[in-house]
Amino acid sequence: MRAAYPTAAGIQWDSQAEPEMRWVMDFILGVRQIRGEMDIAPNRKLVVLLQNAAPRDVEYLGRNLPYLSRLAGIEPPRLLAPAETAPISAVALLGNLEILVPMAGLIDPAAELDRLAKRLRKAEFDLHKLDAKLSNSQYARNAPPDIVAKDQQRIAELRTEIGQLSAQTARVTKLKDQ
């Protein structure tokens, strides 16, 4: 109780730990984004395939597999051979490493297409509404600049979302056609 509070001065900085932990965090974030985009329950263990893995990626994977399995909710990942073709999958990129989550068996393609179509219609409606609002010269002149900038940022976000939803719809349609 009477000891001095520890200071960071006595701690050695590990220059190799920081990039490795960034890799681990980005890997987990990629899997969680796929899970969120595909509306997959957090408690469901995912099969993960890795494509274009560099030696550094394999090294980081080996050292951090227990953390990745627990925090990303995945089975031990399988490395794909360079010439091996991947099944239709949701993809997250981590540098050149592609984190693939095969979609077969994870989702009901028809229900997923309906869900994506609803989200796409809503995003397109919101985009059209904001475009109309910003194209009104009265609004653009009279609205505070920060509100106009916020609306323009929202338009950019909606365009990105529409692109992502369209790409996801194409992937699910391929899965449905198989």
Side-chain angles (χ1 to χ4, degrees), residues 42-83:
N43 61 349
R44 183 168 186 177
K45 286 275 192 190
L46 296 178
V47 173
V48 172
L49 306 173
L50 302 177
Q51 195 165 42
N52 303 327
R56 180 193 67 137
D57 295 322
V58 175
E59 180 183 331
Y60 288 172
L61 178 67
R63 279 200 297 258
N64 296 289
L65 186 57
Y67 309 117
L68 296 173
S69 295
R70 174 76 176 120
L71 296 172
I74 61 171
E75 300 289 336
R78 183 173 71 85
L79 297 169
L80 294 177

mmCIF file of all heavy atoms in Angstrom, residues 42-83:
data_model
loop_
_atom_site.group_PDB
_atom_site.id
_atom_site.type_symbol
_atom_site.label_atom_id
_atom_site.label_comp_id
_atom_site.label_asym_id
_atom_site.label_seq_id
_atom_site.Cartn_x
_atom_site.Cartn_y
_atom_site.Cartn_z
ATOM 1 N N PRO A 42 -23.174 -14.349 -32.876
ATOM 2 C CA PRO A 42 -21.834 -14.278 -32.291
ATOM 3 C C PRO A 42 -21.361 -15.581 -31.657
ATOM 4 O O PRO A 42 -20.166 -15.831 -31.561
ATOM 5 C CB PRO A 42 -21.951 -13.195 -31.219
ATOM 6 C CG PRO A 42 -23.210 -12.488 -31.490
ATOM 7 C CD PRO A 42 -24.086 -13.393 -32.291
ATOM 8 N N ASN A 43 -22.296 -16.430 -31.226
ATOM 9 C CA ASN A 43 -21.891 -17.662 -30.552
ATOM 10 C C ASN A 43 -21.605 -18.807 -31.526
ATOM 11 O O ASN A 43 -21.203 -19.882 -31.109
ATOM 12 C CB ASN A 43 -22.944 -18.085 -29.537
ATOM 13 C CG ASN A 43 -24.293 -18.367 -30.171
ATOM 14 O OD1 ASN A 43 -24.511 -18.054 -31.351
ATOM 15 N ND2 ASN A 43 -25.190 -18.932 -29.406
ATOM 16 N N ARG A 44 -21.791 -18.586 -32.819
ATOM 17 C CA ARG A 44 -21.554 -19.639 -33.806
ATOM 18 C C ARG A 44 -20.094 -19.629 -34.239
ATOM 19 O O ARG A 44 -19.552 -18.619 -34.659
ATOM 20 C CB ARG A 44 -22.443 -19.407 -35.019
ATOM 21 C CG ARG A 44 -22.297 -20.506 -36.035
ATOM 22 C CD ARG A 44 -23.370 -20.436 -37.066
ATOM 23 N NE ARG A 44 -23.261 -21.598 -37.921
ATOM 24 C CZ ARG A 44 -24.081 -21.856 -38.885
ATOM 25 N NH1 ARG A 44 -25.096 -21.051 -39.127
ATOM 26 N NH2 ARG A 44 -23.927 -22.914 -39.631
ATOM 27 N N LYS A 45 -19.433 -20.782 -34.096
ATOM 28 C CA LYS A 45 -18.034 -20.917 -34.518
ATOM 29 C C LYS A 45 -17.980 -20.908 -36.045
ATOM 30 O O LYS A 45 -18.742 -21.612 -36.700
ATOM 31 C CB LYS A 45 -17.427 -22.225 -34.009
ATOM 32 C CG LYS A 45 -17.127 -22.223 -32.544
ATOM 33 C CD LYS A 45 -15.783 -21.600 -32.314
ATOM 34 C CE LYS A 45 -15.346 -21.865 -30.879
ATOM 35 N NZ LYS A 45 -14.190 -21.090 -30.550
ATOM 36 N N LEU A 46 -17.081 -20.111 -36.585
ATOM 37 C CA LEU A 46 -16.958 -20.001 -38.031
ATOM 38 C C LEU A 46 -15.754 -20.776 -38.553
ATOM 39 O O LEU A 46 -14.714 -20.826 -37.902
ATOM 40 C CB LEU A 46 -16.791 -18.531 -38.434
ATOM 41 C CG LEU A 46 -17.943 -17.597 -38.137
ATOM 42 C CD1 LEU A 46 -17.596 -16.183 -38.562
ATOM 43 C CD2 LEU A 46 -19.199 -18.068 -38.834
ATOM 44 N N VAL A 47 -15.930 -21.344 -39.734
ATOM 45 C CA VAL A 47 -14.820 -21.946 -40.453
ATOM 46 C C VAL A 47 -14.131 -20.817 -41.207
ATOM 47 O O VAL A 47 -14.795 -20.010 -41.867
ATOM 48 C CB VAL A 47 -15.321 -23.019 -41.443
ATOM 49 C CG1 VAL A 47 -14.197 -23.528 -42.319
ATOM 50 C CG2 VAL A 47 -15.974 -24.161 -40.676
ATOM 51 N N VAL A 48 -12.834 -20.720 -41.100
ATOM 52 C CA VAL A 48 -12.088 -19.649 -41.750
ATOM 53 C C VAL A 48 -10.991 -20.258 -42.610
ATOM 54 O O VAL A 48 -10.280 -21.177 -42.193
ATOM 55 C CB VAL A 48 -11.473 -18.690 -40.700
ATOM 56 C CG1 VAL A 48 -10.532 -17.694 -41.342
ATOM 57 C CG2 VAL A 48 -12.563 -17.974 -39.943
ATOM 58 N N LEU A 49 -10.871 -19.730 -43.834
ATOM 59 C CA LEU A 49 -9.805 -20.106 -44.757
ATOM 60 C C LEU A 49 -8.920 -18.886 -44.954
ATOM 61 O O LEU A 49 -9.409 -17.756 -44.985
ATOM 62 C CB LEU A 49 -10.395 -20.555 -46.095
ATOM 63 C CG LEU A 49 -11.447 -21.654 -46.045
ATOM 64 C CD1 LEU A 49 -12.063 -21.865 -47.419
ATOM 65 C CD2 LEU A 49 -10.846 -22.947 -45.534
ATOM 66 N N LEU A 50 -7.632 -19.109 -45.090
ATOM 67 C CA LEU A 50 -6.695 -18.013 -45.300
ATOM 68 C C LEU A 50 -6.011 -18.181 -46.647
ATOM 69 O O LEU A 50 -5.486 -19.252 -46.959
ATOM 70 C CB LEU A 50 -5.651 -17.973 -44.182
ATOM 71 C CG LEU A 50 -6.202 -17.820 -42.771
ATOM 72 C CD1 LEU A 50 -5.072 -17.875 -41.753
ATOM 73 C CD2 LEU A 50 -6.982 -16.533 -42.626
ATOM 74 N N GLN A 51 -6.023 -17.122 -47.437
ATOM 75 C CA GLN A 51 -5.409 -17.158 -48.758
ATOM 76 C C GLN A 51 -4.361 -16.054 -48.827
ATOM 77 O O GLN A 51 -4.528 -14.986 -48.265
ATOM 78 C CB GLN A 51 -6.483 -16.945 -49.822
ATOM 79 C CG GLN A 51 -6.043 -17.310 -51.210
ATOM 80 C CD GLN A 51 -7.240 -17.424 -52.139
ATOM 81 O OE1 GLN A 51 -8.141 -16.602 -52.075
ATOM 82 N NE2 GLN A 51 -7.248 -18.437 -52.971
ATOM 83 N N ASN A 52 -3.281 -16.331 -49.529
ATOM 84 C CA ASN A 52 -2.163 -15.387 -49.703
ATOM 85 C C ASN A 52 -1.465 -15.071 -48.376
ATOM 86 O O ASN A 52 -1.072 -13.932 -48.137
ATOM 87 C CB ASN A 52 -2.625 -14.081 -50.355
ATOM 88 C CG ASN A 52 -3.285 -14.298 -51.689
ATOM 89 O OD1 ASN A 52 -2.921 -15.217 -52.417
ATOM 90 N ND2 ASN A 52 -4.240 -13.464 -52.021
ATOM 91 N N ALA A 53 -1.315 -16.065 -47.536
ATOM 92 C CA ALA A 53 -0.672 -15.855 -46.236
ATOM 93 C C ALA A 53 0.837 -15.762 -46.412
ATOM 94 O O ALA A 53 1.466 -16.638 -46.999
ATOM 95 C CB ALA A 53 -1.016 -16.984 -45.279
ATOM 96 N N ALA A 54 1.406 -14.688 -45.892
ATOM 97 C CA ALA A 54 2.857 -14.505 -45.884
ATOM 98 C C ALA A 54 3.429 -15.270 -44.692
ATOM 99 O O ALA A 54 2.698 -15.616 -43.762
ATOM 100 C CB ALA A 54 3.182 -13.025 -45.771
ATOM 101 N N PRO A 55 4.731 -15.538 -44.709
ATOM 102 C CA PRO A 55 5.338 -16.226 -43.555
ATOM 103 C C PRO A 55 5.068 -15.503 -42.230
ATOM 104 O O PRO A 55 4.844 -16.131 -41.208
ATOM 105 C CB PRO A 55 6.826 -16.241 -43.878
ATOM 106 C CG PRO A 55 6.891 -16.164 -45.371
ATOM 107 C CD PRO A 55 5.703 -15.340 -45.789
ATOM 108 N N ARG A 56 5.060 -14.179 -42.278
ATOM 109 C CA ARG A 56 4.781 -13.406 -41.067
ATOM 110 C C ARG A 56 3.365 -13.682 -40.567
ATOM 111 O O ARG A 56 3.125 -13.824 -39.374
ATOM 112 C CB ARG A 56 4.956 -11.918 -41.367
ATOM 113 C CG ARG A 56 4.702 -11.015 -40.183
ATOM 114 C CD ARG A 56 4.589 -9.598 -40.640
ATOM 115 N NE ARG A 56 3.360 -9.512 -41.437
ATOM 116 C CZ ARG A 56 2.486 -8.538 -41.360
ATOM 117 N NH1 ARG A 56 2.713 -7.515 -40.581
ATOM 118 N NH2 ARG A 56 1.394 -8.538 -42.078
ATOM 119 N N ASP A 57 2.393 -13.794 -41.505
ATOM 120 C CA ASP A 57 1.001 -14.082 -41.126
ATOM 121 C C ASP A 57 0.904 -15.448 -40.455
ATOM 122 O O ASP A 57 0.208 -15.605 -39.454
ATOM 123 C CB ASP A 57 0.090 -14.046 -42.358
ATOM 124 C CG ASP A 57 -0.002 -12.663 -42.987
ATOM 125 O OD1 ASP A 57 -0.029 -11.674 -42.230
ATOM 126 O OD2 ASP A 57 -0.048 -12.590 -44.222
ATOM 127 N N VAL A 58 1.602 -16.427 -41.001
ATOM 128 C CA VAL A 58 1.579 -17.779 -40.439
ATOM 129 C C VAL A 58 2.200 -17.781 -39.044
ATOM 130 O O VAL A 58 1.695 -18.425 -38.125
ATOM 131 C CB VAL A 58 2.314 -18.771 -41.380
ATOM 132 C CG1 VAL A 58 2.411 -20.148 -40.752
ATOM 133 C CG2 VAL A 58 1.618 -18.836 -42.733
ATOM 134 N N GLU A 59 3.270 -17.025 -38.886
ATOM 135 C CA GLU A 59 3.935 -16.923 -37.589
ATOM 136 C C GLU A 59 2.999 -16.279 -36.548
ATOM 137 O O GLU A 59 2.839 -16.801 -35.443
ATOM 138 C CB GLU A 59 5.204 -16.075 -37.748
ATOM 139 C CG GLU A 59 6.008 -15.889 -36.492
ATOM 140 C CD GLU A 59 7.203 -14.970 -36.730
ATOM 141 O OE1 GLU A 59 7.721 -14.923 -37.861
ATOM 142 O OE2 GLU A 59 7.602 -14.295 -35.768
ATOM 143 N N TYR A 60 2.385 -15.175 -36.909
ATOM 144 C CA TYR A 60 1.461 -14.499 -35.999
ATOM 145 C C TYR A 60 0.269 -15.400 -35.676
ATOM 146 O O TYR A 60 -0.185 -15.453 -34.538
ATOM 147 C CB TYR A 60 0.944 -13.196 -36.604
ATOM 148 C CG TYR A 60 1.958 -12.066 -36.682
ATOM 149 C CD1 TYR A 60 1.638 -10.901 -37.352
ATOM 150 C CD2 TYR A 60 3.215 -12.139 -36.097
ATOM 151 C CE1 TYR A 60 2.538 -9.846 -37.440
ATOM 152 C CE2 TYR A 60 4.115 -11.106 -36.177
ATOM 153 C CZ TYR A 60 3.775 -9.946 -36.848
ATOM 154 O OH TYR A 60 4.660 -8.917 -36.927
ATOM 155 N N LEU A 61 -0.232 -16.098 -36.673
ATOM 156 C CA LEU A 61 -1.363 -17.003 -36.478
ATOM 157 C C LEU A 61 -1.008 -18.090 -35.477
ATOM 158 O O LEU A 61 -1.772 -18.375 -34.555
ATOM 159 C CB LEU A 61 -1.776 -17.621 -37.813
ATOM 160 C CG LEU A 61 -2.917 -18.635 -37.766
ATOM 161 C CD1 LEU A 61 -4.218 -17.942 -37.384
ATOM 162 C CD2 LEU A 61 -3.063 -19.320 -39.114
ATOM 163 N N GLY A 62 0.163 -18.693 -35.639
ATOM 164 C CA GLY A 62 0.589 -19.761 -34.741
ATOM 165 C C GLY A 62 0.700 -19.311 -33.297
ATOM 166 O O GLY A 62 0.294 -20.028 -32.379
ATOM 167 N N ARG A 63 1.246 -18.124 -33.099
ATOM 168 C CA ARG A 63 1.430 -17.627 -31.729
ATOM 169 C C ARG A 63 0.133 -17.156 -31.081
ATOM 170 O O ARG A 63 0.023 -17.151 -29.858
ATOM 171 C CB ARG A 63 2.434 -16.473 -31.720
ATOM 172 C CG ARG A 63 3.861 -16.913 -31.737
ATOM 173 C CD ARG A 63 4.797 -15.824 -31.256
ATOM 174 N NE ARG A 63 4.791 -14.646 -32.078
ATOM 175 C CZ ARG A 63 5.723 -14.338 -32.977
ATOM 176 N NH1 ARG A 63 6.728 -15.151 -33.173
ATOM 177 N NH2 ARG A 63 5.640 -13.220 -33.674
ATOM 178 N N ASN A 64 -0.840 -16.754 -31.895
ATOM 179 C CA ASN A 64 -2.028 -16.116 -31.336
ATOM 180 C C ASN A 64 -3.318 -16.883 -31.592
ATOM 181 O O ASN A 64 -4.402 -16.344 -31.376
ATOM 182 C CB ASN A 64 -2.153 -14.693 -31.909
ATOM 183 C CG ASN A 64 -0.989 -13.833 -31.491
ATOM 184 O OD1 ASN A 64 -0.876 -13.453 -30.338
ATOM 185 N ND2 ASN A 64 -0.090 -13.551 -32.426
ATOM 186 N N LEU A 65 -3.216 -18.125 -32.018
ATOM 187 C CA LEU A 65 -4.398 -18.914 -32.350
ATOM 188 C C LEU A 65 -5.406 -19.005 -31.203
ATOM 189 O O LEU A 65 -6.601 -18.838 -31.432
ATOM 190 C CB LEU A 65 -4.005 -20.306 -32.848
ATOM 191 C CG LEU A 65 -5.152 -21.166 -33.355
ATOM 192 C CD1 LEU A 65 -5.897 -20.463 -34.481
ATOM 193 C CD2 LEU A 65 -4.638 -22.512 -33.814
ATOM 194 N N PRO A 66 -4.979 -19.241 -29.957
ATOM 195 C CA PRO A 66 -5.983 -19.306 -28.877
ATOM 196 C C PRO A 66 -6.779 -18.009 -28.730
ATOM 197 O O PRO A 66 -7.987 -18.038 -28.500
ATOM 198 C CB PRO A 66 -5.153 -19.568 -27.619
ATOM 199 C CG PRO A 66 -3.864 -20.133 -28.102
ATOM 200 C CD PRO A 66 -3.635 -19.551 -29.460
ATOM 201 N N TYR A 67 -6.104 -16.872 -28.898
ATOM 202 C CA TYR A 67 -6.793 -15.589 -28.781
ATOM 203 C C TYR A 67 -7.756 -15.384 -29.949
ATOM 204 O O TYR A 67 -8.879 -14.923 -29.769
ATOM 205 C CB TYR A 67 -5.795 -14.429 -28.736
ATOM 206 C CG TYR A 67 -4.716 -14.623 -27.712
ATOM 207 C CD1 TYR A 67 -3.381 -14.730 -28.092
ATOM 208 C CD2 TYR A 67 -5.023 -14.734 -26.352
ATOM 209 C CE1 TYR A 67 -2.385 -14.921 -27.156
ATOM 210 C CE2 TYR A 67 -4.035 -14.939 -25.406
ATOM 211 C CZ TYR A 67 -2.713 -15.030 -25.819
ATOM 212 O OH TYR A 67 -1.733 -15.238 -24.892
ATOM 213 N N LEU A 68 -7.300 -15.730 -31.136
ATOM 214 C CA LEU A 68 -8.137 -15.568 -32.321
ATOM 215 C C LEU A 68 -9.364 -16.476 -32.232
ATOM 216 O O LEU A 68 -10.474 -16.048 -32.558
ATOM 217 C CB LEU A 68 -7.347 -15.869 -33.591
ATOM 218 C CG LEU A 68 -6.178 -14.934 -33.889
ATOM 219 C CD1 LEU A 68 -5.376 -15.443 -35.068
ATOM 220 C CD2 LEU A 68 -6.660 -13.522 -34.131
ATOM 221 N N SER A 69 -9.158 -17.710 -31.800
ATOM 222 C CA SER A 69 -10.279 -18.645 -31.692
ATOM 223 C C SER A 69 -11.320 -18.137 -30.715
ATOM 224 O O SER A 69 -12.517 -18.185 -30.988
ATOM 225 C CB SER A 69 -9.793 -20.021 -31.249
ATOM 226 O OG SER A 69 -8.966 -20.582 -32.230
ATOM 227 N N ARG A 70 -10.864 -17.632 -29.607
ATOM 228 C CA ARG A 70 -11.781 -17.170 -28.558
ATOM 229 C C ARG A 70 -12.440 -15.837 -28.914
ATOM 230 O O ARG A 70 -13.645 -15.682 -28.815
ATOM 231 C CB ARG A 70 -11.005 -17.046 -27.232
ATOM 232 C CG ARG A 70 -11.801 -16.455 -26.108
ATOM 233 C CD ARG A 70 -12.781 -17.462 -25.539
ATOM 234 N NE ARG A 70 -13.461 -16.872 -24.410
ATOM 235 C CZ ARG A 70 -14.775 -16.698 -24.348
ATOM 236 N NH1 ARG A 70 -15.537 -17.104 -25.319
ATOM 237 N NH2 ARG A 70 -15.311 -16.148 -23.296
ATOM 238 N N LEU A 71 -11.641 -14.869 -29.336
ATOM 239 C CA LEU A 71 -12.163 -13.520 -29.531
ATOM 240 C C LEU A 71 -12.884 -13.331 -30.868
ATOM 241 O O LEU A 71 -13.776 -12.495 -30.968
ATOM 242 C CB LEU A 71 -11.033 -12.498 -29.396
ATOM 243 C CG LEU A 71 -10.393 -12.442 -28.004
ATOM 244 C CD1 LEU A 71 -9.170 -11.545 -28.011
ATOM 245 C CD2 LEU A 71 -11.399 -11.965 -26.976
ATOM 246 N N ALA A 72 -12.500 -14.103 -31.882
ATOM 247 C CA ALA A 72 -13.178 -13.999 -33.180
ATOM 248 C C ALA A 72 -14.236 -15.081 -33.341
ATOM 249 O O ALA A 72 -15.045 -15.020 -34.262
ATOM 250 C CB ALA A 72 -12.165 -14.083 -34.318
ATOM 251 N N GLY A 73 -14.216 -16.091 -32.479
ATOM 252 C CA GLY A 73 -15.206 -17.166 -32.551
ATOM 253 C C GLY A 73 -15.027 -18.027 -33.784
ATOM 254 O O GLY A 73 -15.974 -18.255 -34.538
ATOM 255 N N ILE A 74 -13.795 -18.498 -33.994
ATOM 256 C CA ILE A 74 -13.498 -19.280 -35.191
ATOM 257 C C ILE A 74 -12.905 -20.635 -34.833
ATOM 258 O O ILE A 74 -12.360 -20.818 -33.750
ATOM 259 C CB ILE A 74 -12.511 -18.536 -36.123
ATOM 260 C CG1 ILE A 74 -11.178 -18.275 -35.415
ATOM 261 C CG2 ILE A 74 -13.127 -17.246 -36.649
ATOM 262 C CD1 ILE A 74 -10.081 -17.740 -36.316
ATOM 263 N N GLU A 75 -13.047 -21.556 -35.768
ATOM 264 C CA GLU A 75 -12.319 -22.824 -35.703
ATOM 265 C C GLU A 75 -10.884 -22.522 -36.123
ATOM 266 O O GLU A 75 -10.635 -21.481 -36.741
ATOM 267 C CB GLU A 75 -12.944 -23.832 -36.676
ATOM 268 C CG GLU A 75 -14.399 -24.154 -36.411
ATOM 269 C CD GLU A 75 -14.603 -24.986 -35.149
ATOM 270 O OE1 GLU A 75 -13.667 -25.681 -34.729
ATOM 271 O OE2 GLU A 75 -15.707 -24.920 -34.599
ATOM 272 N N PRO A 76 -9.931 -23.421 -35.846
ATOM 273 C CA PRO A 76 -8.571 -23.166 -36.331
ATOM 274 C C PRO A 76 -8.581 -22.971 -37.855
ATOM 275 O O PRO A 76 -9.107 -23.805 -38.586
ATOM 276 C CB PRO A 76 -7.798 -24.423 -35.929
ATOM 277 C CG PRO A 76 -8.546 -24.932 -34.732
ATOM 278 C CD PRO A 76 -9.989 -24.615 -35.004
ATOM 279 N N PRO A 77 -8.035 -21.851 -38.350
ATOM 280 C CA PRO A 77 -8.069 -21.556 -39.778
ATOM 281 C C PRO A 77 -7.240 -22.546 -40.591
ATOM 282 O O PRO A 77 -6.277 -23.127 -40.102
ATOM 283 C CB PRO A 77 -7.460 -20.162 -39.886
ATOM 284 C CG PRO A 77 -7.532 -19.595 -38.519
ATOM 285 C CD PRO A 77 -7.467 -20.756 -37.579
ATOM 286 N N ARG A 78 -7.645 -22.717 -41.849
ATOM 287 C CA ARG A 78 -6.912 -23.574 -42.783
ATOM 288 C C ARG A 78 -6.300 -22.694 -43.853
ATOM 289 O O ARG A 78 -6.954 -21.827 -44.420
ATOM 290 C CB ARG A 78 -7.851 -24.593 -43.428
ATOM 291 C CG ARG A 78 -7.138 -25.567 -44.350
ATOM 292 C CD ARG A 78 -8.051 -26.684 -44.843
ATOM 293 N NE ARG A 78 -9.046 -26.272 -45.792
ATOM 294 C CZ ARG A 78 -8.828 -26.185 -47.111
ATOM 295 N NH1 ARG A 78 -7.642 -26.442 -47.611
ATOM 296 N NH2 ARG A 78 -9.804 -25.819 -47.919
ATOM 297 N N LEU A 79 -5.016 -22.899 -44.096
ATOM 298 C CA LEU A 79 -4.312 -22.158 -45.141
ATOM 299 C C LEU A 79 -4.603 -22.798 -46.489
ATOM 300 O O LEU A 79 -4.456 -24.019 -46.639
ATOM 301 C CB LEU A 79 -2.807 -22.156 -44.887
ATOM 302 C CG LEU A 79 -2.336 -21.472 -43.607
ATOM 303 C CD1 LEU A 79 -0.873 -21.764 -43.350
ATOM 304 C CD2 LEU A 79 -2.566 -19.976 -43.711
ATOM 305 N N LEU A 80 -4.991 -21.993 -47.462
ATOM 306 C CA LEU A 80 -5.230 -22.496 -48.804
ATOM 307 C C LEU A 80 -3.910 -22.518 -49.564
ATOM 308 O O LEU A 80 -3.094 -21.607 -49.433
ATOM 309 C CB LEU A 80 -6.229 -21.612 -49.548
ATOM 310 C CG LEU A 80 -7.653 -21.594 -49.003
ATOM 311 C CD1 LEU A 80 -8.509 -20.627 -49.798
ATOM 312 C CD2 LEU A 80 -8.266 -22.973 -49.050
ATOM 313 N N ALA A 81 -3.724 -23.552 -50.364
ATOM 314 C CA ALA A 81 -2.543 -23.632 -51.224
ATOM 315 C C ALA A 81 -2.629 -22.526 -52.272
ATOM 316 O O ALA A 81 -3.731 -22.084 -52.623
ATOM 317 C CB ALA A 81 -2.468 -25.002 -51.880
ATOM 318 N N PRO A 82 -1.491 -22.078 -52.811
ATOM 319 C CA PRO A 82 -1.508 -20.981 -53.783
ATOM 320 C C PRO A 82 -2.425 -21.223 -54.986
ATOM 321 O O PRO A 82 -3.067 -20.305 -55.466
ATOM 322 C CB PRO A 82 -0.052 -20.857 -54.219
ATOM 323 C CG PRO A 82 0.727 -21.394 -53.072
ATOM 324 C CD PRO A 82 -0.123 -22.470 -52.463
ATOM 325 N N ALA A 83 -2.508 -22.442 -55.485
ATOM 326 C CA ALA A 83 -3.317 -22.726 -56.669
ATOM 327 C C ALA A 83 -4.749 -23.150 -56.307
ATOM 328 O O ALA A 83 -5.576 -23.319 -57.192
ATOM 329 C CB ALA A 83 -2.655 -23.815 -57.494
#
